[in-house]
């Protein structure tokens, strides 16, 4: 299957700093990438949908100024957690969908464990 | 509002048992249904279902979709301890966003 690489896999940062997470589709072009957050023992929560070359669409309740998403190319989307707080500590996962096709499956990155201290 | 409901929420079985996991949905403009297995980290893709009544099979796992009754089942036969995981069902709707269920937590005991 298609490969999606997410980096870093684990990051610890101080409160008030910003952290950038990268999501790359390695062997296909992804017009759309999705960013999820997962709380312990809970399902994935969609944060935003990122389309190449346009602004991301954020889900209700997700602060767009806090979680900056950039999808500058067909193979790269970034999520920047700005002015991180301990409550932002979570597992963040991206998924990428290839161009075209109906019902195309989305492929997930490995996830990033963010800990804000 | 789009909705994906998985049942049961959790399940404990003995090795060798067969389990059936359920996923029902109410989604506008359905495109496909996806099953994932999640262990410690990111979900691993299992199946994509788009057509009703056609079984997808991979080893001891199989899945089928009923678009009339709006549900899918995931079967695991001859379960092994390595099957212990959370199984996620997601429905792809208009715009290709994924709507996830809460997952079924499966524990297979020796």
């Amino acid at each position: 299957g298609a490969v999606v690489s997410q980096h870093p896999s684990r990051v610890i940062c101080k409160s008030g700093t910003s952290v950038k997470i990268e999501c790359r589709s390695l062997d296909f072009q992804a017009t759309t990438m999705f960013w999820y957050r997962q709380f312990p023992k809970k399902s994935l929560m969609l944060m935003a949908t990122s389309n190449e070359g346009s602004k991301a669409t954020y889900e209700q309740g997700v602060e767009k100024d806090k979680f900056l998403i950039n999808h500058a190319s067909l193979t790269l989307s970034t999520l920047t957690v700005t002015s991180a707080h301990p409550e932002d500590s979570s597992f963040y996962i991206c998924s990428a969908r290839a161009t075209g096709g109906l019902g195309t499956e989305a492929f997930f990155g490995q996830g990033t464990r963010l800990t804000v201290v | 509002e789009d909705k994906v409901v998985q049942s049961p929420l959790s399940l404990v079985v003995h090795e060798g048992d067969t389990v059936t996991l359920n996923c029902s949905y109410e989604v506008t403009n359905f495109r496909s249904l996806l099953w994932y297995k999640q262990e410690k980290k990111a979900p691993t893709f299992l199946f994509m279902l788009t057509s009703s009544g056609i079984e997808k099979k991979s080893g001891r796992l199989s899945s089928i979709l009923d678009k009339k009754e709006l549900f899918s089942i995931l079967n695991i036969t001859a379960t092994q301890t390595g099957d212990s995981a959370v199984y996620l069902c997601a429905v792809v709707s208009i715009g290709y966003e994924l709507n996830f269920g809460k997952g079924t937590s499966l524990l297979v005991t020796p």
Side-chain angles (χ1 to χ4, degrees):
Chain A
V3 178
V4 175
S5 174
Q6 189 173 336
H7 177 81
S9 59
R10 192 178 290 266
V11 59
I12 301 172
C13 71
K14 289 186 178 179
S15 226
T17 60
S18 295
V19 173
K20 181 186 279 189
I21 303 170
E22 291 188 350
C23 181
R24 291 180 187 273
S25 56
L26 295 187
D27 52 0
F28 68 99
Q29 293 186 327
T31 49
T32 306
M33 289 187 174
F34 304 92
W35 286 96
Y36 297 87
R37 182 173 177 175
Q38 186 169 37
F39 296 94
K41 297 184 181 178
K42 291 196 173 181
S43 188
L44 298 174
M45 183 192 81
L46 178 65
M47 297 175 66
T49 302
S50 163
N51 293 298
E52 186 266 337
S54 63
K55 288 184 179 180
T57 304
Y58 289 82
E59 295 300 300
Q60 195 171 11
V62 177
E63 299 174 61
K64 60 180 72 173
D65 294 331
K66 181 167 185 60
F67 298 99
L68 299 178
I69 291 172
N70 184 278
H71 192 158
S73 77
L74 284 170
T75 58
L76 174 64
S77 176
T78 60
L79 167 68
T80 302
V81 182
T82 62
S83 187
H85 289 287
E87 56 264 31
D88 298 326
S89 298
S90 193
F91 190 53
Y92 294 87
I93 308 175
C94 71
S95 71
R97 186 179 65 83
T99 57
L102 280 176
T104 308
E105 63 268 44
F107 300 96
F108 284 91
Q110 305 94 318
T112 297
R113 171 73 60 193
L114 170 64
T115 304
V116 184
V117 297
Chain B
E1 183 185 324
D2 293 343
K3 198 163 60 172
V4 179
V5 178
Q6 288 186 248
S7 64
L9 288 181
S10 65
L11 191 56
V12 181
V13 300
H14 293 297
E15 259 189 324
D17 287 351
T18 293
V19 296
T20 298
L21 310 183
N22 302 288
C23 176
S24 64
Y25 62 91
E26 293 175 28
V27 172
T28 306
N29 291 325
F30 173 92
R31 291 187 187 273
S32 64
L33 186 145
L34 312 175
W35 283 99
Y36 291 92
K37 178 183 181 182
Q38 185 172 24
E39 294 170 273
K40 290 186 179 175
K41 288 200 170 182
T44 304
F45 174 78
L46 294 176
F47 297 112
M48 178 176 74
L49 303 160
T50 53
S51 301
S52 231
I54 298 174
E55 186 184 52
K56 293 260 179 126
K57 204 167 167 62
S58 176
R60 296 177 293 103
L61 276 67
S62 63
S63 184
I64 198 161
L65 174 68
D66 186 328
K67 288 168 77 172
K68 185 180 174 187
E69 300 298 328
L70 307 183
F71 76 92
S72 173
I73 59 172
L74 174 68
N75 275 320
I76 309 175
T77 59
T79 51
Q80 301 170 359
T81 55
D83 295 327
S84 297
V86 173
Y87 290 84
L88 294 170
C89 166
V91 175
V92 185
S93 60
I94 191 168
Y96 297 96
E97 64 270 17
L98 279 74
N99 300 283
F100 279 92
K102 292 191 189 307
T104 293
S105 178
L106 173 65
L107 176 63
V108 182
T109 60

